[in-house]
Amino acid sequence: MSNVMGLKAKLGLDVFKEDKEFHIRIKAGKEKDIRLKNTVLVCPAGLYSENDNGEIIIGVDGCLECGTCLLVCGPEVLEWHYPSGGAGVQFRFG
Amino acid sequence: MVEETVEIFDAIIVGAGLAGLAAAYTLAAEGLEVLVLERGDYPGAKNVTGGRIYLNPVREMFPELWKKAPLERYIAHEEVCIMDKERSINVRYDGMELGMEPYQSYSVLRGKFDKWFAKQAERKGAMIVAKSRVDDVIMENGQVVGVIAGGEELRANVVIACDGVLSFTAEKAGLRKGAQAKNFAVGFKEIIELPRQVIEDRFNLEGDEGLARLYMGDVTKGKFGGGFLYTNKESISLGIVVGIKDLMEEEPRIEAPQLLDDFKQRPEVARLLKGGETVEYSAHVIPEGGYKVMDKLYGDGILVAGDAAGFSMNIGVTVRGMEYAMASGYFAAQAVIQAKEKNDFTRAGLATYETLLKNSFVLKDFINFKESLEVLEYPPLFKHYPELAGNIMKDLYEVPAGPKARLYPTIKKYISMGEMWAMVQVGRRMMKI
Ligand SMILES: Cc1cc2nc3c(=O)[nH]c(=O)nc-3n(C[C@H](O)[C@H](O)[C@H](O)COP(=O)(O)OP(=O)(O)OC[C@H]3O[C@@H](n4cnc5c(N)ncnc54)[C@H](O)[C@@H]3O)c2cc1C
Ligand code: SF4
């Protein structure tokens, strides 16, 4: 079973605690920003995708809080915070 | 105002990772009033490592700590695997010294270790509050005098930013310039459970012995970085570390999660994982810019330690950050203890921090290896040479139906004069580190 397992299933193994709000948002007007396109490749949780309009969208559920997208896009493109205290992913092994 | 009832801690530490806990443990042991704020559900809940920790550099700083520490296996066997697309070369090193006490390194799981380390710091008297995210620093006349967490103002003589690679605390205090993707790598890994006996049989281990295996070459499709496999007591840590810039820009363009799936499906790797069950998937960014891009390590009322200060070193296939985190936390604590004696928490009063780091392995290593990123971020090392080595081995091992080619021409076929000259150049590059 350790073989190919879909990403969703893999993320489903992790423990997540719900947050009150989305901790990452794409800033208005930046949906087609060139920097944002890279997130599709770099996000280890595969949370970014491109829609039919050529805009990048994020589904923040399953975020591993790694920080890669923030480093790639910068704060002009992303409003990026850690989830509130006690929320978000909780690694049991790390 | 109720000014006089406000408690002022000797130090507030942001983040209960290795740096923060090392600082808290050391300060509390000296009787200082320490508050640690950690955003995770418990210390360790947000922390990811490869992981192997080397104890020699930090053993004496925490003499009571190691005997009962929940480490996994002591690394008695070292392997490197050079991967080409359809072949790989594996080198195993078994040194008697690796199997002798005190063991030099151990595999470790941070979810377990940090939780336990936090208990030890609490026993020394530190106050650790989890589920508490620090949102800002309080500045007065240019000096940091506390933090804001959960809407509450908390005050201290010194704040120690141990909040990891993205350190918003150092940024809010104005110590950090904008971070650039090219100075960071991203690591992602799986924990794969297997019965203890299977691990020992499969990896040829005796008892608590462990193995570290690093992969380079096709594991990252030739991008700067590598793969790792560490044996834990009852699981395997398997993952990839890759430069973020290479991931964005270098061909082939491949999504990060796919790299790990491809790695797991390599027959050489799949065989080792057979029957195992993935129980966790994690990811984390790693600073790798080193000394050249290091931001300020301290300011008025604030010190920065661990990954927050950029104390992580990626030398291609292996990352070291845990010892630097623990040692810098320890030295930050020493600097605070001295500052308290002088009752001077300004930049000048905290300057001993940098001196202590410079006199220790921490900054000595970073200065010695300051060229390493530029030297090692050299695509042929991750693509061309693994391929070349693989091809030579293939021909050397091949016995065709007809006569076997002589050895010298076989090697010569791959290593022309031009190739040899290129290798000399690579050798020269390497001499810088
Ligand atoms: C995949 C991978 C493999 C690695 N392999 C190795 C290895 O084999 N050997 C090695 O030595 N190093 C390795 N490293 C590097 C090593 O893991 C790090 O250098 C080390 O964890 C840094 O410790 P730290 O205490 O500085 O930071 P962290 O462990 O990141 O701790 C930071 C803490 O601060 C908390 N925090 C952050 N922001 C806030 C806030 N605003 N409020 C409250 N709390 C906050 C976090 O929740 C966290 O607990 C690896 C790293 C990765 C990602
Ligand atoms: S922080 Fe990491 S896991 Fe979360 S969205 Fe960004 S890249 Fe993906």
PDB file of all heavy atoms in Angstrom, chain A residues 2 10 14 17 41 44 65-66 68 82 86-87 89-94, chain B residues 39 41-42 45-46 49 110-111 133 186 190 256 264 276 279-281 285:
ATOM      1  N   SER A   2       2.180   1.046   0.282  1.00  0.00           N
ATOM      2  CA  SER A   2       3.045   2.223   0.303  1.00  0.00           C
ATOM      3  C   SER A   2       3.308   2.742  -1.104  1.00  0.00           C
ATOM      4  O   SER A   2       3.992   3.720  -1.283  1.00  0.00           O
ATOM      5  CB  SER A   2       4.361   1.891   0.992  1.00  0.00           C
ATOM      6  OG  SER A   2       5.222   1.230   0.107  1.00  0.00           O
ATOM      7  N   LYS A  10      -2.985  10.914   0.660  1.00  0.00           N
ATOM      8  CA  LYS A  10      -1.790  11.105   1.480  1.00  0.00           C
ATOM      9  C   LYS A  10      -2.026  12.211   2.505  1.00  0.00           C
ATOM     10  O   LYS A  10      -1.696  12.074   3.676  1.00  0.00           O
ATOM     11  CB  LYS A  10      -0.635  11.494   0.549  1.00  0.00           C
ATOM     12  CG  LYS A  10       0.633  10.723   0.843  1.00  0.00           C
ATOM     13  CD  LYS A  10       1.843  11.337   0.239  1.00  0.00           C
ATOM     14  CE  LYS A  10       2.216  10.915  -1.127  1.00  0.00           C
ATOM     15  NZ  LYS A  10       3.576  11.305  -1.518  1.00  0.00           N
ATOM     16  N   ASP A  14      -2.771  12.947   7.463  1.00  0.00           N
ATOM     17  CA  ASP A  14      -2.295  13.942   8.426  1.00  0.00           C
ATOM     18  C   ASP A  14      -3.430  14.426   9.319  1.00  0.00           C
ATOM     19  O   ASP A  14      -4.598  14.380   8.943  1.00  0.00           O
ATOM     20  CB  ASP A  14      -1.696  15.146   7.691  1.00  0.00           C
ATOM     21  CG  ASP A  14      -0.394  14.797   6.980  1.00  0.00           C
ATOM     22  OD1 ASP A  14       0.155  13.718   7.255  1.00  0.00           O
ATOM     23  OD2 ASP A  14       0.059  15.598   6.148  1.00  0.00           O
ATOM     24  N   LYS A  17      -6.316  20.555  12.263  1.00  0.00           N
ATOM     25  CA  LYS A  17      -7.332  21.161  13.143  1.00  0.00           C
ATOM     26  C   LYS A  17      -7.870  22.400  12.443  1.00  0.00           C
ATOM     27  O   LYS A  17      -7.110  23.187  11.888  1.00  0.00           O
ATOM     28  CB  LYS A  17      -6.714  21.518  14.493  1.00  0.00           C
ATOM     29  CG  LYS A  17      -6.216  20.282  15.213  1.00  0.00           C
ATOM     30  CD  LYS A  17      -6.608  20.243  16.668  1.00  0.00           C
ATOM     31  CE  LYS A  17      -6.416  18.840  17.204  1.00  0.00           C
ATOM     32  NZ  LYS A  17      -5.976  18.826  18.590  1.00  0.00           N
ATOM     33  N   LEU A  41       3.691  24.088  -9.538  1.00  0.00           N
ATOM     34  CA  LEU A  41       4.799  23.136  -9.527  1.00  0.00           C
ATOM     35  C   LEU A  41       5.349  22.908  -8.126  1.00  0.00           C
ATOM     36  O   LEU A  41       5.703  21.791  -7.761  1.00  0.00           O
ATOM     37  CB  LEU A  41       5.977  23.675 -10.371  1.00  0.00           C
ATOM     38  CG  LEU A  41       5.890  23.614 -11.879  1.00  0.00           C
ATOM     39  CD1 LEU A  41       7.158  24.221 -12.465  1.00  0.00           C
ATOM     40  CD2 LEU A  41       5.754  22.167 -12.345  1.00  0.00           C
ATOM     41  N   PRO A  44       4.046  21.328  -2.289  1.00  0.00           N
ATOM     42  CA  PRO A  44       4.129  19.887  -2.033  1.00  0.00           C
ATOM     43  C   PRO A  44       2.770  19.250  -1.776  1.00  0.00           C
ATOM     44  O   PRO A  44       2.639  18.037  -1.839  1.00  0.00           O
ATOM     45  CB  PRO A  44       4.993  19.790  -0.769  1.00  0.00           C
ATOM     46  CG  PRO A  44       5.635  21.109  -0.609  1.00  0.00           C
ATOM     47  CD  PRO A  44       4.734  22.114  -1.258  1.00  0.00           C
ATOM     48  N   GLU A  65       1.786  24.101   5.545  1.00  0.00           N
ATOM     49  CA  GLU A  65       2.416  25.283   6.151  1.00  0.00           C
ATOM     50  C   GLU A  65       3.916  25.324   5.918  1.00  0.00           C
ATOM     51  O   GLU A  65       4.669  25.772   6.774  1.00  0.00           O
ATOM     52  CB  GLU A  65       2.089  25.359   7.655  1.00  0.00           C
ATOM     53  CG  GLU A  65       0.590  25.407   7.918  1.00  0.00           C
ATOM     54  CD  GLU A  65       0.214  25.120   9.368  1.00  0.00           C
ATOM     55  OE1 GLU A  65       0.996  25.458  10.265  1.00  0.00           O
ATOM     56  OE2 GLU A  65      -0.870  24.537   9.583  1.00  0.00           O
ATOM     57  N   CYS A  66       4.334  24.840   4.755  1.00  0.00           N
ATOM     58  CA  CYS A  66       5.771  24.758   4.497  1.00  0.00           C
ATOM     59  C   CYS A  66       6.380  26.112   4.175  1.00  0.00           C
ATOM     60  O   CYS A  66       7.538  26.365   4.461  1.00  0.00           O
ATOM     61  CB  CYS A  66       6.056  23.758   3.380  1.00  0.00           C
ATOM     62  SG  CYS A  66       5.505  24.287   1.754  1.00  0.00           S
ATOM     63  N   THR A  68       6.645  27.449   1.042  1.00  0.00           N
ATOM     64  CA  THR A  68       7.205  27.542  -0.308  1.00  0.00           C
ATOM     65  C   THR A  68       6.478  28.573  -1.172  1.00  0.00           C
ATOM     66  O   THR A  68       7.107  29.391  -1.838  1.00  0.00           O
ATOM     67  CB  THR A  68       7.160  26.167  -1.007  1.00  0.00           C
ATOM     68  OG1 THR A  68       7.662  25.189  -0.100  1.00  0.00           O
ATOM     69  CG2 THR A  68       8.002  26.156  -2.264  1.00  0.00           C
ATOM     70  N   TYR A  82       0.378  32.174   9.250  1.00  0.00           N
ATOM     71  CA  TYR A  82       0.204  30.843   9.813  1.00  0.00           C
ATOM     72  C   TYR A  82      -1.237  30.768  10.300  1.00  0.00           C
ATOM     73  O   TYR A  82      -1.823  31.788  10.673  1.00  0.00           O
ATOM     74  CB  TYR A  82       1.145  30.639  11.003  1.00  0.00           C
ATOM     75  CG  TYR A  82       2.586  30.392  10.624  1.00  0.00           C
ATOM     76  CD1 TYR A  82       3.611  31.181  11.132  1.00  0.00           C
ATOM     77  CD2 TYR A  82       2.927  29.342   9.773  1.00  0.00           C
ATOM     78  CE1 TYR A  82       4.937  30.939  10.805  1.00  0.00           C
ATOM     79  CE2 TYR A  82       4.247  29.096   9.440  1.00  0.00           C
ATOM     80  CZ  TYR A  82       5.253  29.889   9.955  1.00  0.00           C
ATOM     81  OH  TYR A  82       6.541  29.644   9.635  1.00  0.00           O
ATOM     82  N   GLY A  86      -2.882  26.607  17.522  1.00  0.00           N
ATOM     83  CA  GLY A  86      -3.564  25.335  17.703  1.00  0.00           C
ATOM     84  C   GLY A  86      -4.265  24.816  16.464  1.00  0.00           C
ATOM     85  O   GLY A  86      -4.701  23.671  16.439  1.00  0.00           O
ATOM     86  N   ALA A  87      -4.383  25.661  15.409  1.00  0.00           N
ATOM     87  CA  ALA A  87      -5.072  25.213  14.194  1.00  0.00           C
ATOM     88  C   ALA A  87      -4.067  24.752  13.134  1.00  0.00           C
ATOM     89  O   ALA A  87      -2.865  24.883  13.308  1.00  0.00           O
ATOM     90  CB  ALA A  87      -5.938  26.347  13.654  1.00  0.00           C
ATOM     91  N   VAL A  89      -2.170  22.038  10.376  1.00  0.00           N
ATOM     92  CA  VAL A  89      -1.612  20.687  10.420  1.00  0.00           C
ATOM     93  C   VAL A  89      -0.876  20.446  11.739  1.00  0.00           C
ATOM     94  O   VAL A  89      -0.289  21.365  12.312  1.00  0.00           O
ATOM     95  CB  VAL A  89      -0.664  20.461   9.201  1.00  0.00           C
ATOM     96  CG1 VAL A  89       0.632  21.240   9.325  1.00  0.00           C
ATOM     97  CG2 VAL A  89      -0.386  18.974   8.997  1.00  0.00           C
ATOM     98  N   GLN A  90      -1.010  19.231  12.262  1.00  0.00           N
ATOM     99  CA  GLN A  90      -0.298  18.876  13.498  1.00  0.00           C
ATOM    100  C   GLN A  90       0.445  17.570  13.233  1.00  0.00           C
ATOM    101  O   GLN A  90      -0.166  16.508  13.172  1.00  0.00           O
ATOM    102  CB  GLN A  90      -1.291  18.667  14.657  1.00  0.00           C
ATOM    103  CG  GLN A  90      -2.372  19.730  14.808  1.00  0.00           C
ATOM    104  CD  GLN A  90      -1.845  21.102  15.219  1.00  0.00           C
ATOM    105  OE1 GLN A  90      -0.747  21.226  15.768  1.00  0.00           O
ATOM    106  NE2 GLN A  90      -2.614  22.139  14.935  1.00  0.00           N
ATOM    107  N   PHE A  91       1.747  17.674  13.069  1.00  0.00           N
ATOM    108  CA  PHE A  91       2.512  16.464  12.768  1.00  0.00           C
ATOM    109  C   PHE A  91       2.709  15.608  14.015  1.00  0.00           C
ATOM    110  O   PHE A  91       3.050  16.110  15.074  1.00  0.00           O
ATOM    111  CB  PHE A  91       3.877  16.826  12.174  1.00  0.00           C
ATOM    112  CG  PHE A  91       3.776  17.572  10.875  1.00  0.00           C
ATOM    113  CD1 PHE A  91       4.367  18.818  10.720  1.00  0.00           C
ATOM    114  CD2 PHE A  91       3.072  17.030   9.807  1.00  0.00           C
ATOM    115  CE1 PHE A  91       4.272  19.509   9.518  1.00  0.00           C
ATOM    116  CE2 PHE A  91       2.966  17.717   8.604  1.00  0.00           C
ATOM    117  CZ  PHE A  91       3.577  18.957   8.461  1.00  0.00           C
ATOM    118  N   ARG A  92       2.493  14.316  13.847  1.00  0.00           N
ATOM    119  CA  ARG A  92       2.706  13.396  14.964  1.00  0.00           C
ATOM    120  C   ARG A  92       4.123  12.845  14.940  1.00  0.00           C
ATOM    121  O   ARG A  92       4.676  12.437  15.937  1.00  0.00           O
ATOM    122  CB  ARG A  92       1.722  12.235  14.884  1.00  0.00           C
ATOM    123  CG  ARG A  92       0.271  12.646  15.120  1.00  0.00           C
ATOM    124  CD  ARG A  92      -0.686  11.650  14.517  1.00  0.00           C
ATOM    125  NE  ARG A  92      -0.518  11.574  13.069  1.00  0.00           N
ATOM    126  CZ  ARG A  92      -0.637  10.461  12.346  1.00  0.00           C
ATOM    127  NH1 ARG A  92      -0.933   9.336  12.933  1.00  0.00           N
ATOM    128  NH2 ARG A  92      -0.457  10.493  11.042  1.00  0.00           N
ATOM    129  N   PHE A  93       4.711  12.791  13.735  1.00  0.00           N
ATOM    130  CA  PHE A  93       6.070  12.261  13.605  1.00  0.00           C
ATOM    131  C   PHE A  93       7.059  13.375  13.231  1.00  0.00           C
ATOM    132  O   PHE A  93       8.095  13.516  13.838  1.00  0.00           O
ATOM    133  CB  PHE A  93       6.107  11.168  12.548  1.00  0.00           C
ATOM    134  CG  PHE A  93       5.191  10.029  12.853  1.00  0.00           C
ATOM    135  CD1 PHE A  93       3.905   9.975  12.332  1.00  0.00           C
ATOM    136  CD2 PHE A  93       5.616   9.006  13.689  1.00  0.00           C
ATOM    137  CE1 PHE A  93       3.057   8.922  12.625  1.00  0.00           C
ATOM    138  CE2 PHE A  93       4.769   7.949  13.996  1.00  0.00           C
ATOM    139  CZ  PHE A  93       3.473   7.908  13.457  1.00  0.00           C
ATOM    140  N   GLY A  94       6.730  14.122  12.176  1.00  0.00           N
ATOM    141  CA  GLY A  94       7.617  15.210  11.721  1.00  0.00           C
ATOM    142  C   GLY A  94       8.913  14.709  11.188  1.00  0.00           C
ATOM    143  O   GLY A  94       9.940  15.297  11.458  1.00  0.00           O
TER     144      GLY A  94
ATOM    145  N   ARG B  39       2.933  28.038  18.414  1.00  0.00           N
ATOM    146  CA  ARG B  39       1.644  28.079  17.718  1.00  0.00           C
ATOM    147  C   ARG B  39       1.022  26.698  17.516  1.00  0.00           C
ATOM    148  O   ARG B  39      -0.184  26.568  17.329  1.00  0.00           O
ATOM    149  CB  ARG B  39       1.804  28.788  16.371  1.00  0.00           C
ATOM    150  CG  ARG B  39       2.639  28.035  15.369  1.00  0.00           C
ATOM    151  CD  ARG B  39       2.895  28.852  14.115  1.00  0.00           C
ATOM    152  NE  ARG B  39       3.574  28.053  13.106  1.00  0.00           N
ATOM    153  CZ  ARG B  39       2.964  27.283  12.214  1.00  0.00           C
ATOM    154  NH1 ARG B  39       1.661  27.210  12.182  1.00  0.00           N
ATOM    155  NH2 ARG B  39       3.651  26.570  11.355  1.00  0.00           N
ATOM    156  N   ASP B  41      -0.244  22.718  18.279  1.00  0.00           N
ATOM    157  CA  ASP B  41      -1.086  22.110  19.299  1.00  0.00           C
ATOM    158  C   ASP B  41      -0.227  21.660  20.482  1.00  0.00           C
ATOM    159  O   ASP B  41      -0.667  21.612  21.617  1.00  0.00           O
ATOM    160  CB  ASP B  41      -1.780  20.892  18.664  1.00  0.00           C
ATOM    161  CG  ASP B  41      -3.101  20.587  19.313  1.00  0.00           C
ATOM    162  OD1 ASP B  41      -3.586  21.436  20.082  1.00  0.00           O
ATOM    163  OD2 ASP B  41      -3.638  19.495  19.067  1.00  0.00           O
ATOM    164  N   TYR B  42       1.026  21.303  20.172  1.00  0.00           N
ATOM    165  CA  TYR B  42       2.018  20.900  21.185  1.00  0.00           C
ATOM    166  C   TYR B  42       3.384  21.139  20.552  1.00  0.00           C
ATOM    167  O   TYR B  42       3.478  21.239  19.315  1.00  0.00           O
ATOM    168  CB  TYR B  42       1.857  19.413  21.559  1.00  0.00           C
ATOM    169  CG  TYR B  42       1.651  18.523  20.362  1.00  0.00           C
ATOM    170  CD1 TYR B  42       2.740  18.012  19.641  1.00  0.00           C
ATOM    171  CD2 TYR B  42       0.357  18.205  19.915  1.00  0.00           C
ATOM    172  CE1 TYR B  42       2.550  17.211  18.522  1.00  0.00           C
ATOM    173  CE2 TYR B  42       0.157  17.418  18.789  1.00  0.00           C
ATOM    174  CZ  TYR B  42       1.261  16.922  18.103  1.00  0.00           C
ATOM    175  OH  TYR B  42       1.074  16.151  16.985  1.00  0.00           O
ATOM    176  N   ALA B  45       4.592  19.891  16.880  1.00  0.00           N
ATOM    177  CA  ALA B  45       3.464  19.663  15.974  1.00  0.00           C
ATOM    178  C   ALA B  45       3.664  20.277  14.588  1.00  0.00           C
ATOM    179  O   ALA B  45       3.023  19.869  13.627  1.00  0.00           O
ATOM    180  CB  ALA B  45       2.173  20.206  16.581  1.00  0.00           C
ATOM    181  N   LYS B  46       4.558  21.257  14.494  1.00  0.00           N
ATOM    182  CA  LYS B  46       4.735  21.936  13.204  1.00  0.00           C
ATOM    183  C   LYS B  46       6.111  21.656  12.615  1.00  0.00           C
ATOM    184  O   LYS B  46       6.481  22.247  11.605  1.00  0.00           O
ATOM    185  CB  LYS B  46       4.591  23.447  13.411  1.00  0.00           C
ATOM    186  CG  LYS B  46       3.271  23.883  14.003  1.00  0.00           C
ATOM    187  CD  LYS B  46       2.128  23.734  13.014  1.00  0.00           C
ATOM    188  CE  LYS B  46       0.814  24.227  13.620  1.00  0.00           C
ATOM    189  NZ  LYS B  46      -0.288  24.106  12.659  1.00  0.00           N
ATOM    190  N   THR B  49      11.832  17.429  10.002  1.00  0.00           N
ATOM    191  CA  THR B  49      13.252  17.313   9.691  1.00  0.00           C
ATOM    192  C   THR B  49      13.452  16.087   8.829  1.00  0.00           C
ATOM    193  O   THR B  49      12.486  15.399   8.487  1.00  0.00           O
ATOM    194  CB  THR B  49      14.099  17.267  10.977  1.00  0.00           C
ATOM    195  OG1 THR B  49      15.451  17.554  10.631  1.00  0.00           O
ATOM    196  CG2 THR B  49      14.024  15.914  11.657  1.00  0.00           C
ATOM    197  N   ARG B 110      10.766  14.508  15.033  1.00  0.00           N
ATOM    198  CA  ARG B 110      10.617  15.729  15.824  1.00  0.00           C
ATOM    199  C   ARG B 110       9.307  15.783  16.598  1.00  0.00           C
ATOM    200  O   ARG B 110       9.260  16.404  17.676  1.00  0.00           O
ATOM    201  CB  ARG B 110      10.749  16.936  14.903  1.00  0.00           C
ATOM    202  CG  ARG B 110      12.143  17.052  14.285  1.00  0.00           C
ATOM    203  CD  ARG B 110      13.138  17.545  15.282  1.00  0.00           C
ATOM    204  NE  ARG B 110      12.729  18.842  15.769  1.00  0.00           N
ATOM    205  CZ  ARG B 110      12.942  19.978  15.122  1.00  0.00           C
ATOM    206  NH1 ARG B 110      13.573  19.981  13.985  1.00  0.00           N
ATOM    207  NH2 ARG B 110      12.547  21.119  15.628  1.00  0.00           N
ATOM    208  N   GLY B 111       8.264  15.146  16.068  1.00  0.00           N
ATOM    209  CA  GLY B 111       7.000  15.129  16.799  1.00  0.00           C
ATOM    210  C   GLY B 111       7.197  14.551  18.193  1.00  0.00           C
ATOM    211  O   GLY B 111       6.617  15.026  19.168  1.00  0.00           O
ATOM    212  N   ARG B 133      -0.107  31.681  18.925  1.00  0.00           N
ATOM    213  CA  ARG B 133       0.650  32.258  17.810  1.00  0.00           C
ATOM    214  C   ARG B 133       1.039  33.699  18.130  1.00  0.00           C
ATOM    215  O   ARG B 133       0.184  34.502  18.489  1.00  0.00           O
ATOM    216  CB  ARG B 133      -0.206  32.226  16.543  1.00  0.00           C
ATOM    217  CG  ARG B 133       0.493  32.758  15.302  1.00  0.00           C
ATOM    218  CD  ARG B 133      -0.454  32.837  14.123  1.00  0.00           C
ATOM    219  NE  ARG B 133      -1.438  33.903  14.321  1.00  0.00           N
ATOM    220  CZ  ARG B 133      -2.491  34.102  13.524  1.00  0.00           C
ATOM    221  NH1 ARG B 133      -2.724  33.293  12.506  1.00  0.00           N
ATOM    222  NH2 ARG B 133      -3.336  35.094  13.760  1.00  0.00           N
ATOM    223  N   VAL B 186      13.005  23.259  -0.555  1.00  0.00           N
ATOM    224  CA  VAL B 186      11.832  22.707   0.113  1.00  0.00           C
ATOM    225  C   VAL B 186      12.039  21.198   0.277  1.00  0.00           C
ATOM    226  O   VAL B 186      12.581  20.536  -0.609  1.00  0.00           O
ATOM    227  CB  VAL B 186      10.513  23.024  -0.641  1.00  0.00           C
ATOM    228  CG1 VAL B 186      10.550  22.575  -2.085  1.00  0.00           C
ATOM    229  CG2 VAL B 186       9.312  22.390   0.068  1.00  0.00           C
ATOM    230  N   GLU B 190       7.718  11.318   3.658  1.00  0.00           N
ATOM    231  CA  GLU B 190       6.700  10.416   4.194  1.00  0.00           C
ATOM    232  C   GLU B 190       7.300   9.623   5.338  1.00  0.00           C
ATOM    233  O   GLU B 190       8.493   9.311   5.311  1.00  0.00           O
ATOM    234  CB  GLU B 190       6.236   9.419   3.114  1.00  0.00           C
ATOM    235  CG  GLU B 190       5.335  10.046   2.092  1.00  0.00           C
ATOM    236  CD  GLU B 190       4.843   9.030   1.065  1.00  0.00           C
ATOM    237  OE1 GLU B 190       4.692   7.835   1.399  1.00  0.00           O
ATOM    238  OE2 GLU B 190       4.611   9.451  -0.086  1.00  0.00           O
ATOM    239  N   ALA B 256       6.232  19.021  -7.518  1.00  0.00           N
ATOM    240  CA  ALA B 256       6.982  18.474  -6.383  1.00  0.00           C
ATOM    241  C   ALA B 256       6.467  17.109  -5.909  1.00  0.00           C
ATOM    242  O   ALA B 256       7.262  16.175  -5.747  1.00  0.00           O
ATOM    243  CB  ALA B 256       7.008  19.485  -5.245  1.00  0.00           C
ATOM    244  N   LYS B 264       9.627   6.896  -4.999  1.00  0.00           N
ATOM    245  CA  LYS B 264       9.126   5.700  -4.319  1.00  0.00           C
ATOM    246  C   LYS B 264       8.926   4.529  -5.273  1.00  0.00           C
ATOM    247  O   LYS B 264       8.954   3.376  -4.860  1.00  0.00           O
ATOM    248  CB  LYS B 264       7.777   6.017  -3.653  1.00  0.00           C
ATOM    249  CG  LYS B 264       7.915   6.786  -2.368  1.00  0.00           C
ATOM    250  CD  LYS B 264       6.564   7.144  -1.799  1.00  0.00           C
ATOM    251  CE  LYS B 264       5.787   5.940  -1.311  1.00  0.00           C
ATOM    252  NZ  LYS B 264       4.432   6.314  -0.866  1.00  0.00           N
ATOM    253  N   GLY B 276       5.163  -1.654   3.607  1.00  0.00           N
ATOM    254  CA  GLY B 276       5.120  -0.534   4.546  1.00  0.00           C
ATOM    255  C   GLY B 276       3.864   0.293   4.379  1.00  0.00           C
ATOM    256  O   GLY B 276       3.229   0.268   3.327  1.00  0.00           O
ATOM    257  N   VAL B 279       2.143   6.750   7.005  1.00  0.00           N
ATOM    258  CA  VAL B 279       1.272   7.239   8.076  1.00  0.00           C
ATOM    259  C   VAL B 279       1.284   8.759   8.186  1.00  0.00           C
ATOM    260  O   VAL B 279       0.465   9.339   8.897  1.00  0.00           O
ATOM    261  CB  VAL B 279       1.636   6.612   9.450  1.00  0.00           C
ATOM    262  CG1 VAL B 279       1.287   5.135   9.457  1.00  0.00           C
ATOM    263  CG2 VAL B 279       3.111   6.816   9.786  1.00  0.00           C
ATOM    264  N   GLU B 280       2.218   9.406   7.484  1.00  0.00           N
ATOM    265  CA  GLU B 280       2.225  10.871   7.527  1.00  0.00           C
ATOM    266  C   GLU B 280       2.980  11.423   6.320  1.00  0.00           C
ATOM    267  O   GLU B 280       3.927  10.816   5.834  1.00  0.00           O
ATOM    268  CB  GLU B 280       2.884  11.374   8.818  1.00  0.00           C
ATOM    269  CG  GLU B 280       2.786  12.883   9.013  1.00  0.00           C
ATOM    270  CD  GLU B 280       3.205  13.294  10.424  1.00  0.00           C
ATOM    271  OE1 GLU B 280       4.420  13.501  10.633  1.00  0.00           O
ATOM    272  OE2 GLU B 280       2.333  13.374  11.300  1.00  0.00           O
ATOM    273  N   TYR B 281       2.517  12.587   5.871  1.00  0.00           N
ATOM    274  CA  TYR B 281       3.182  13.304   4.779  1.00  0.00           C
ATOM    275  C   TYR B 281       3.416  14.726   5.271  1.00  0.00           C
ATOM    276  O   TYR B 281       2.490  15.363   5.787  1.00  0.00           O
ATOM    277  CB  TYR B 281       2.277  13.297   3.544  1.00  0.00           C
ATOM    278  CG  TYR B 281       2.809  14.077   2.361  1.00  0.00           C
ATOM    279  CD1 TYR B 281       4.086  13.825   1.855  1.00  0.00           C
ATOM    280  CD2 TYR B 281       2.046  15.068   1.749  1.00  0.00           C
ATOM    281  CE1 TYR B 281       4.575  14.540   0.761  1.00  0.00           C
ATOM    282  CE2 TYR B 281       2.520  15.777   0.649  1.00  0.00           C
ATOM    283  CZ  TYR B 281       3.797  15.506   0.163  1.00  0.00           C
ATOM    284  OH  TYR B 281       4.272  16.209  -0.911  1.00  0.00           O
ATOM    285  N   VAL B 285      10.071  24.345   4.467  1.00  0.00           N
ATOM    286  CA  VAL B 285      11.126  25.052   3.736  1.00  0.00           C
ATOM    287  C   VAL B 285      12.419  25.036   4.547  1.00  0.00           C
ATOM    288  O   VAL B 285      12.385  24.960   5.771  1.00  0.00           O
ATOM    289  CB  VAL B 285      10.642  26.492   3.436  1.00  0.00           C
ATOM    290  CG1 VAL B 285      11.790  27.427   3.196  1.00  0.00           C
ATOM    291  CG2 VAL B 285       9.712  26.497   2.231  1.00  0.00           C
TER     292      VAL B 285
END
